[in-house]
Amino acid sequence: MGRDDDGRRHARRRRHRTVLNSGGNPWAFVWFQILTAGTDVELYNDLVSGEAKFTDPEVVDIMNVWLDMKEKGYFSDPGSKTPGETQIKDQEVAMIPFGTWYASTLDTVGLESGTDWGVFPIPNVNPEQEVIPVAIETAPACVPEKSAQRELGLEYSEWWMGTDAQTAWSEQQGNLPFNPNATAATEEFQKIGEEYTDPKYTFYLRYYEAAPAPILTSSLDQFTGFMTNPGDPMPFLEGIQATADEYWSEH
């Protein structure tokens, strides 16, 4: 998401070179996720399934891209206590990598869709990758098989996932509806929803949901350390891989 404003403020932003919100814990995984999937989405999927190692040379190379971006001053302070929405409102950052749910958060600081901010798919790091990965975060809506209200639960679920309910939900939340037949509440999300129907896009599960819990916890600690004390990525990756080795040996 990016903030539109007059040329004077854009010039000020360029002088500071702080283009991107870095995200602190619990968002420490975001740039690793973006850079990894944008380089090789199959490698990303292999990492979260335990088929690849965090210490593999390809992963080290990705971490060094992140390090280079950090050293060039592209990121905001990961230890900042100022919320991302305030940073973008105050022109401290130009872009912030969040899902469509973040629209309601931007509303809380008075930023309007299509006027103050817009959305775009994050392009690939690797231009030779044929698909453009888009992260999703999702979870099932479950109805217990033996529930005394099983039929009512199924009826409610059908309504909730239907076109009318999702259109109303989008209007209330300002978010992109789950049901592709529902109407998004804003022009920005109507356009992005249509764009994502193009087969050049592929969807992958966000790291926060895709990584097993112990590996996620270790990753958040190590990525936070890497952002706050940037340097050789290998010690951080070795810390994550030690947890991954232990986890996958038992699963």
Side-chain angles (χ1 to χ4, degrees), residues 26-34 66 206-208 216 220 223:
W27 310 114
F29 68 91
V30 171
W31 281 104
F32 176 79
Q33 167 191 288
I34 290 170
W66 192 3
R206 188 176 72 155
Y207 191 80
Y208 201 89
L216 172 65
L220 294 178
F223 291 150

Side-chain angles (χ1 to χ4, degrees), residues 4 113-115 117-120 184 186-193:
D4 297 322
S113 169
T115 301
W117 59 267
V119 296
F120 60 91
T186 67
E187 245 182 79
E188 288 289 330
F189 286 159
Q190 288 173 20
K191 290 176 182 177
I192 205 77

